[in-house]
Structures are given as structure tokens and as C-alpha cells.
Amino acid sequence: MNSSSTKPGRLAVGILGAGRVGAVLGNALRAEGHEVVAVSGASPETRERVEALLPGVPLLDLVEVARRADLVLVCVPDDAIADVVAWVAQQGGFRPGQLVVHTSGRHGTGVLRPALAAGAIPLAIHPAMTFTGTSLDLARLVGTPFAVTAAAPVQPIGQALVVELGGEPVLLPEDSRAGYHAALAHASNHLVTLLVQAQEILRAAGVTGTAPSGEEQDAAGGLLGPLARAALDGALGSGAAALTGPVSRGDAGTVAEHLAAIEALVGPDGAERALPTYRALADATAVLAEHERRIEPDRAAAIRRLLRESEDAGDAAGVGTGVQPASVAVLHTIADLRAARRRLAGTVAVVPTMGALHEGHLALVRAARGVADHVVVTVFVNPTQFGDPGDLAAYPRTLDADVASLAALGADAPDLVFAPSAHEMYPEGATRVTIDPGPVANALEGASRPGHFAGVLTVVSKLFHLVRPDVAVFGQKDAQQLALVQRMVRDLDLDLWVLEVPIVREPDGLALSSRNVRLTPDGRRRALALSRSVAVAQRLAAAGADLAQVLAAARAELDDVEVDYATVVDPETYLELCPDATGDPRAGTDAVGPGGRAAEPRYVVAALVDGVRLIDNGPVALGSGSVSSPGD
């Protein structure tokens, strides 16, 4: 032990990041006889906090703090923990037997692996309270639940540490941390947002009170306090039984008045903040009230329909959406894109397109907005993926209409549209270095369009490097392309994940495609053979038909079109599955679907209609014993 304390079991404590949490916990530990030997931090706020709560404790660099301590408290922001721990470990700051504890709700002990590798004992403890960074927090620690995550043999250490801090330990498994943190953040952080917006509406309505002196005062907080505390107590004590108010009564008229009042009172800027919050929470409350049988389904549906209509009206007017129509920034140069990308804080999703946008593309943009803070849509007709110059020349280019469609998405509209010229992307006419798509590209689409997938992967790789996304969004209609992009991301260790969006179809079932506009009315009718073929394959497979029966029935639907291929493939290798007396339809594949399940084989079809090449596909639930991959 490095501690100079004469009390048995006392530790030398070092704090990495003496922010609000670290300084308060350090003060609490010192009150229990532990010695806080050093803290890190250089901001004026940190220095003031240390002087107030930890007077006399030296401010040192991260590594020196760790070297002096028996117990290292890591109290830096969540996203910095991994980097800080790795740096200290690389510099020899940790040692065997040392306790290394972080206070993040988001992470378990996995983020402390570098300390574990050095022989330290990793622990995660998270106090379920907010901190002011002042002495007021010390009393609030008493009885506060602390989530404790640690390996079973050392869980008692974490529990004992929490008890010394005055808290109540709650053991939490490593794989439960994300859900735990989401629930706490949803309750505490979003409650603050809700109450701040409610106070803003009250003030806009002119609600004031009178102080004892007779002077007017802002009564918004005082008016909301008893109501909010009663609602909180009711929800924690009775759950959904505490529901009250117009939504839980199915009073759509009152909800409509609320929406109008909020928009009228707080103005466009305030409405952009408050209206989406009100709509989202009213919708969720309607769902809960219906589930709990507080209101009838028709009343819940009426409220939700009202909320959707309000949102659609706001989108059209540019109110309450956060994005005004026709305000999407369109960039044409790589330099402008890079400059704009540097200004995007948070997660970024990219939606690569070739323009001529339809509802299928817009579904990709909506999905992107749902998983990232910012969305970048690229519009680029990539010449290197066209084998036929005539096909390249005929491809529709409708940038103005595309931008208008994207802007009309309102709250789901992208932050940026990158629409470069061919010269901007290929200043020398072509790239000398390209992506080799491997053997998957030689089958099906690749066999019919030599070089197509090399062009696709090369331009997608360029776009990934330019946009630097966290998420890339692709549709399942181009299933083979999607499989190749996923393979490229895995094989090249690209730091992003690929989100798949289901095929969007027109009302008659035809898969949406930019090429559909080139069909004659008769061709449009005949093109429906592709979606019928997919539906037949899926229906028969689900009914237990074998592969030969599925293929025969699906191909029979295609007599009126010029078929390129119609087959069932392994979703990973894109090799055709063959009828066989033995074997599993997924044999030879390592493809994995949602939830870790083996991905199902996929029926894929391509055909020419009016000289327009169309594709479609869908998963088929073939039973075992009906097919095998070549070479099995």
C-alpha cells in the first residue's frame, strides 16, 4: 500500500479526471480515512473544485496519478475512458493488485482490459444520481443505488467500496450495462428536457406568480414542481396505473388544442423544440394507454392519426421539424464536403445513391436519420460501374427534383447532399487502384455485367473515405451489391456498420427502381412477373416445398419476360444452391442474420422488360434436406 494512513485497510486514492463525480467521490473516500494522493485535470473549474473539495491534493498528469495510487478512480467522460486507460497502461501506470474503478453507467469492465492485462483489478461502479460537483452531493450519496459490475471473485470489493461511499450496491451483469444506462438516461436526461420545454410554454403563456413582497415572479418552476413530483411518485409506485390526462382518456380534441397552443405561444423556434417532443410522448402514451386498456383502440388510433396529421402539416410548413423545406445543403466538390464534414459533431450516416430518387431511396434516408445524428446523401451516377455506354447515357439525372424530395422529408431530411461530377471523382479519367470484389462478383449480376461490382466497390470505398461515416445504409433490393459491400467492410476492417433496409414496393408489388420510369405501360404490366415470382418462391418454401419445386414454380411466373437468371443462392457466397437428397440449405455459408441466426437462402431474379433490366429478390425458408451448395 502507498497510503500513509495509520488506519488498517486504508488506500491511497488517485483520481483520473477530477470533474463533478471524481471530486465528490474523492471527498467521500477521504472522509472514510482513505488518502487522496493525486488528481488529474487542468481546467480552471477543476482547480476550483479540487481546492474546495480536496484541498492540498496535488494536480498531476494521468500516469503519475495512477502510479501513486492503490485505488484508481477513472472519472473521465464515457467516450474517453478507453483511450485514457490504454494510455496509462502503455506508460506503465498500472500494476498487479491495484484497484482500477470507473464510474460510467454505459460501460462494464471490458473498457478496463488494458488495466487487467497489467494485473490490476477492474471494477465498474455507477452512482444513479446527478452531480453538482459541490458538497451538496455528499449527503445525496447516502442511500443512492450504485450499479456494480465486476468478475464474481471481486464483486465484494465493489460492494464494500459502494457501502463506504454511503450508497447501496446493485450487482449488474456486464451485458446489462447498455440497457441499464439507456433506461436511466431516458428517465433523467429526457425528464429535464421535458420540464424545461414545459416551463418555456408556461412563460410564453404569461403564467406568473406573486412573491411575498408583492412583486411578480416567474412561477413556472413552482407550478410544475408539485405536479411533476406527484407524477414521478405515482409512476414509480403504481406504474401505468398513474396515467392521467387527455391522452389516457382518449380526448383527441384537447390534444389538438394543445398542439395549436404550443405552436402559437412559443413561435417557430420554440415549436421546433417542443412540438416534436409533445407528439412523440403523446404517441407513446397512447400506445401505453391502449396496452393497459385504459382507452379503446379506436380512440388511441384517433389520437395517433391526429399527431401524424399535425406532423405532416408541420413538415409542409417547415414548423416543428428542425429542417426547413428546400434548405438541404448541396455540395459539389470534395474540398467542400471535407470542410462540411468537419463541422458535423456526433454520429454520421451515409446513403449512397445514383439519384433519380424514389420512395425506396427516401426510406433509406429515413432509416439513416433514425440511427445517426447527421445524414449525408451522395448523388453520383458512377461511370465505372456501367458496362454499356448507352445505359450510362440513358440513366436519369434529376438532381433538382432529388434535392426537393429530400428537403420535403422535413425532420428526416439529410444534412448534406454530395453531388460531384465525374471529373471531381475521377480527375484522371479512372482510378489506377480499384477494389477487387472477389469471386462473389463473378456470379449472377457480375456474370451479366463484367466489371460492374469492381466499379461499385471502388466508388463506395471512395465515398466511405470522404464522408467517414459511422453507418452506411443500403437497400436489400440490390442484394448481391449489399453482400459485397458487407464483405468489403469486414475484409478491409472499415470502422462502420452497414444497415440493411427492406425492399420498398409499389402498391402492385413491383420493386421500386429508378429504371421503372423507362417501362412502357405494357412493360410495366409484364414486369410484375418478377415480384410474383419472388412471392411464389417464398410461399412454397414456407409451405415445405423442396428447392426443385420452388424453382420450377417461381420460374413458371416468368414466361412473359426475358429471364437472365432466377435461382436460389447462398446469401454469403452467392453460389447457386443445388437440389440434393442431403444437406442443409445453408451448408457452406457463414452468413448470419438478425439475432445471430443463420441467414436464409435468397431467391434472386433478373430479367429484361422493354430492354430495361430489372431485379428482385427475397429470403426463402427452405427446409433442411432439400438443397446443398456446390462442392458440399
Side-chain angles (χ1 to χ4, degrees):
M1 297 287 182
N2 292 333
S3 173
S4 60
S5 172
T6 58
K7 294 183 179 181
R10 302 299 90 180
L11 301 174
V13 179
I15 302 172
L16 305 184
R20 296 181 181 181
V21 178
V24 169
L25 295 185
N27 183 290
L29 287 172
R30 189 155 71 168
E32 291 298 312
H34 300 286
E35 181 184 1
V36 180
V37 293
V39 299
S40 71
S43 70
E45 293 82 1
T46 296
R47 293 181 181 276
E48 290 178 8
R49 196 174 292 118
V50 170
E51 290 174 2
L53 292 173
L54 299 169
V57 176
L59 282 160
L60 303 175
D61 67 81
L62 295 167
V63 177
E64 187 58 32
V65 171
R67 285 174 177 164
R68 294 188 179 198
D70 302 315
L71 166 61
V72 180
L73 275 180
V74 183
C75 300
V76 298
D78 290 359
D79 289 343
I81 294 175
D83 290 340
V84 166
V85 172
W87 168 254
V88 173
Q90 289 170 5
Q91 305 304 311
F94 300 127
R95 64 180 183 276
Q98 189 179 39
L99 298 176
V100 179
V101 182
H102 77 69
T103 58
S104 164
R106 170 185 167 191
H107 298 290
T109 56
V111 75
L112 301 176
R113 286 193 188 96
L116 177 63
I121 300 171
L123 296 153
I125 64 169
H126 176 250
M129 62 173 271
T130 57
F131 284 77
T132 64
T134 68
S135 59
L136 296 174
D137 295 331
L138 297 171
R140 297 172 62 225
L141 282 174
V142 178
T144 291
F146 279 66
V148 177
T149 299
V154 296
Q155 285 175 354
I157 298 176
Q159 292 172 300
L161 180 59
V162 169
V163 170
E164 284 210 306
L165 289 167
E168 293 291 333
V170 178
L171 291 178
L172 189 69
E174 182 91 15
D175 58 6
S176 298
R177 296 288 289 205
Y180 158 84
H181 193 237
L184 267 63
H186 186 36
S188 61
N189 303 159
H190 300 166
L191 180 61
V192 172
T193 301
L194 173 65
L195 291 175
V196 167
Q197 291 182 354
Q199 290 180 77
E200 181 181 4
I201 295 168
L202 283 173
R203 293 181 186 121
V207 176
T208 59
T210 304
S213 63
E215 297 178 358
E216 276 195 353
Q217 65 176 8
D218 184 351
L223 195 157
L224 288 172
L227 180 69
R229 281 188 284 271
L232 177 62
D233 291 341
L236 295 177
S238 305
L243 275 177
T244 185
V247 175
S248 68
R249 296 191 298 268
D251 187 351
T254 301
V255 173
E257 291 179 1
H258 288 177
L259 294 167
I262 291 171
E263 184 171 346
L265 286 169
V266 298
D269 291 342
E272 287 181 1
R273 296 189 297 273
L275 276 175
T277 306
Y278 184 98
R279 291 191 195 107
L281 290 175
D283 186 278
T285 303
V287 171
L288 179 60
E290 180 184 359
H291 181 268
E292 296 293 319
R293 300 186 179 180
R294 300 290 296 275
I295 55 174
E296 295 299 317
D298 59 341
R299 286 182 173 269
I303 288 176
R304 301 183 75 189
R305 182 167 58 252
L306 168 67
L307 296 169
R308 286 194 301 271
E309 290 170 354
S310 167
E311 184 174 12
D312 291 343
D315 288 350
V319 176
T321 64
V323 178
Q324 301 295 322
S327 66
V328 178
V330 181
L331 309 175
H332 298 283
T333 69
I334 290 173
D336 286 344
L337 173 64
R338 284 176 167 154
R341 175 62 181 86
R342 285 193 290 270
R343 294 192 292 270
L344 299 181
T347 55
V348 174
V350 65
V351 182
T353 81
M354 292 206 301
L357 302 185
H358 50 65
E359 183 57 33
H361 296 106
L362 301 183
L364 303 183
V365 180
R366 292 189 190 97
R369 180 61 72 186
V371 297
D373 299 314
H374 302 284
V375 177
V376 178
V377 172
T378 66
V379 178
F380 177 58
V381 181
N382 177 37
T384 66
Q385 67 189 68
F386 287 83
D388 179 2
D391 198 16
L392 172 61
Y395 198 89
R397 293 161 173 82
T398 57
L399 181 60
D400 290 343
D402 293 342
V403 173
S405 295
L406 292 170
L409 289 175
D412 291 326
D415 300 81
L416 303 171
V417 172
F418 178 50
S421 65
H423 178 74
E424 184 71 12
M425 292 296 286
Y426 303 109
E428 297 181 11
T431 58
R432 298 181 183 179
V433 177
T434 61
I435 300 292
D436 180 0
V440 174
N442 297 327
L444 306 174
E445 287 297 292
S448 301
R449 306 167 70 182
H452 170 71
F453 285 123
V456 169
L457 293 192
T458 298
V459 76
V460 168
S461 176
K462 286 169 70 71
L463 292 172
F464 284 173
H465 283 91
L466 291 171
V467 177
R468 293 180 287 114
D470 301 283
V471 187
V473 184
F474 289 83
Q476 290 178 342
K477 184 175 76 71
D478 296 295
Q480 191 174 3
Q481 170 183 285
L482 172 61
L484 282 164
V485 170
Q486 291 171 324
R487 172 56 66 184
M488 178 180 73
V489 168
R490 290 196 299 270
D491 285 359
L492 300 186
D493 298 316
L494 301 183
D495 189 19
L496 59 91
W497 63 281
V498 178
L499 173 64
E500 301 180 30
V501 177
I503 296 172
V504 177
R505 299 184 180 277
E506 299 193 38
D508 57 8
L510 183 66
L512 279 171
S513 169
S514 303
R515 298 172 184 267
N516 291 353
V517 297
R518 295 161 56 187
L519 295 169
T520 65
D522 179 66
R524 182 73 168 65
R525 176 190 60 78
R526 290 186 290 116
L528 294 177
L530 276 77
S531 56
R532 288 200 307 269
S533 179
V534 173
V536 166
Q538 292 181 310
R539 186 169 63 250
L540 286 181
D546 64 24
L547 176 60
Q549 294 169 325
V550 168
L551 288 176
R555 289 167 177 168
E557 295 291 331
L558 302 170
D559 289 341
D560 207 20
V561 297
E562 184 180 344
V563 178
D564 183 353
Y565 58 78
T567 190
V568 175
V569 298
D570 178 305
E572 177 75 6
T573 66
Y574 267 74
L575 294 174
E576 293 184 49
L577 300 181
C578 304
D580 190 26
T582 61
D584 186 285
R586 292 175 293 276
T589 178
D590 59 358
V592 177
R597 301 184 302 272
E600 292 178 324
R602 187 164 288 271
Y603 174 72
V604 292
V605 56
L608 287 173
V609 184
D610 285 345
V612 179
R613 196 167 191 281
L614 302 175
I615 60 175
D616 206 340
N617 70 85
V620 286
L622 290 165
S624 63
S626 61
V627 294
S628 65
S629 295
D632 283 353

